[in-house]
Amino acid sequence: MSDSEYSEEEEEVAPAVEEHGDVQGADILKARQDAKRAELDAQLQEYIAEWRKQRSKEEEELKRLKEKQAKRKVLREEEDKRLAIQKREEEDRLRREVEQKRQDEKNEKIRRLEEIEKKKQMALQAGRKDQKAANPNFTVVAKKEPQATDFKTTSGSSDKFSNVETARMDLLKSKEQLEEEKRISLSIRIKPLVIDGLDLVSLKAKAQDLWENIVRLETEKYDLEERQKRQDYDLKELKERQKQQLRHKALKRGLDPEALTGKYPPKVRLASKHERSQDRRTFTDKKQLYEGGLEAAVLQESEKTWQDRMGEFVNRPRARLPKWFGERPGRKPGDPETPEAEEVKIDDEIPDPILPQDEPEEEEEEEEEAEEEEEEEEEEEEEEEEEEE
């Protein structure tokens, strides 16, 4: 066998061996991959089973919580309804108590006003009986102590200022209170007219009573109007008498006759009556004491300071910019040229301010003591002069 033939045989055997080795390696790799895949499938199945088991537990727990939440919601709604009903009942009870209290107060007030109105009517009737025998004119009599046995004296003295007190109390009442009292008074004075079941004779008697009541009321109205006119005239006469007395009193004092009657405003006393020295200043001087004061002094000082600073600002040296290429910056065309003499040279260096020298403290204390001594001496001299006067 030649070398060429041997080499060809070797070449034929080598691919067959390689193909057989490749087949065995592929089978081993495939078996290994199948085993690994089977192991992964088993783990995945275990994981899925565990997950399903955990999921079922979670679903059962969630279901239980939802049922518990639904029960609590139902209980809460029932509790809210119960609380709402309880609150409504409490509010109704409080409202009823407030209304009952208000109604009781109203009834008590009406009862009290009815009693007052009845007493007033009884007093008016007693006053009418006393007025028939009394003098209608106003007379000033000596004050007498009322006795318990003298009924007319007590009733007359108590009736003098009853109307004044009543009017004063009426001024303090509100419009609603006056309307309520008016309604109660009218309900007492005006009796309801009942004519049901009355025959002709009873109706005539009722009409006669009404007519007599109308005549009586008109008579009382006329009497009250005339009494009011007479009282107005008496008050006017008393005022004139008072003016005459004040005129005589002013003439006795050497004043103007109308000085005390209220024609002129009262004098303004601008000095204390307890001062020892006599005040000889004129009215203008006294009036100037109350003018100005601290505000005027502060305003004057502020005005002076402003004028000084304004003068310094107007007379200040004005710095001008140097010219650029023969023209000053900011100059408008047509403006006159700035004189060179008005230019002020601005130095870059700022001089140090001159600080005031501190004076010794001992000298200041001595000056203050000297000033205090001088003030004390001046006060003593003024007191001595006042005592001599």
Side-chain angles (χ1 to χ4, degrees), residues 70-291:
K71 290 180 181 180
R72 290 182 63 185
K73 188 176 181 180
V74 172
L75 292 174
R76 191 180 298 110
E77 289 177 356
E78 292 178 356
E79 185 69 18
D80 292 340
K81 288 180 181 179
R82 186 177 63 80
L83 291 175
I85 293 170
Q86 186 177 357
K87 185 178 179 181
R88 196 180 302 112
E89 291 176 354
E90 184 70 19
E91 289 177 356
D92 294 339
R93 185 181 63 80
L94 293 175
R95 192 182 300 109
R96 286 194 301 270
E97 289 180 357
V98 172
E99 290 177 356
Q100 184 66 27
K101 185 177 179 181
R102 191 182 294 113
Q103 188 67 26
D104 294 341
E105 291 178 355
K106 187 176 180 180
N107 294 335
E108 181 65 22
K109 183 179 178 181
I110 291 171
R111 186 185 61 78
R112 187 170 61 254
L113 292 174
E114 287 178 353
E115 292 179 357
I116 294 171
E117 185 64 27
K118 288 179 181 178
K119 291 180 181 179
K120 190 185 295 184
Q121 293 296 325
M122 292 173 65
L124 288 174
Q125 291 178 4
R128 290 194 202 101
K129 292 179 182 179
D130 295 339
Q131 191 178 1
K132 291 179 181 179
N135 188 9
N137 295 332
F138 180 81
T139 56
V140 179
V141 296
K143 186 176 179 182
K144 296 181 180 180
E145 293 295 332
Q147 298 179 2
T149 57
D150 193 3
F151 176 77
K152 292 183 179 181
T153 306
T154 54
S155 63
S157 61
S158 63
D159 189 52
K160 282 182 180 178
F161 302 101
S162 61
N163 294 331
V164 178
E165 293 296 330
T166 305
R168 188 179 298 171
M169 293 299 295
D170 290 341
L171 291 175
L172 301 176
K173 294 178 182 178
S174 62
K175 188 176 180 180
E176 291 79 6
Q177 291 177 348
L178 293 175
E179 290 292 334
E180 184 69 19
E181 291 181 2
K182 180 181 177 182
R183 186 180 62 79
I184 295 169
S185 178
L186 290 177
S187 65
I188 295 171
R189 296 181 183 183
I190 302 173
K191 305 293 180 162
L193 185 60
V194 180
I195 57 175
D196 295 337
L198 297 179
D199 54 357
L200 185 59
V201 179
S202 301
L203 288 173
K204 287 182 179 181
K206 193 72 174 176
Q208 186 65 25
D209 292 338
L210 293 174
W211 173 253
E212 291 176 357
N213 193 14
I214 291 171
V215 171
R216 181 178 59 80
L217 292 175
E218 288 293 334
T219 306
E220 291 177 358
K221 179 182 176 182
Y222 177 77
D223 293 340
L224 290 173
E225 289 176 353
E226 293 297 323
R227 183 184 178 188
Q228 184 181 3
K229 291 179 183 178
R230 185 63 186 179
Q231 287 177 351
D232 293 340
Y233 176 77
D234 293 338
L235 289 174
K236 189 174 181 181
E237 185 179 357
L238 289 172
K239 287 182 181 178
E240 289 295 330
R241 290 181 185 178
Q242 185 182 15
K243 285 185 179 180
Q244 289 294 335
Q245 291 176 358
L246 292 174
R247 287 192 186 98
H248 290 302
K249 189 175 182 180
L251 290 173
K252 287 181 181 179
R253 292 184 179 181
L255 302 174
D256 189 79
E258 302 293 337
L260 302 178
T261 57
K263 185 177 180 180
Y264 305 115
K267 292 185 177 180
V268 180
R269 189 176 184 88
L270 300 178
S272 175
K273 63 180 181 180
H274 302 289
E275 291 181 357
R276 297 177 61 186
S277 61
Q278 187 176 1
D279 191 3
R280 301 183 181 277
R281 292 174 294 182
T282 62
F283 179 79
T284 306
D285 297 338
K286 294 177 182 179
K287 188 177 179 182
Q288 289 177 357
L289 295 175
Y290 298 92
E291 294 178 356

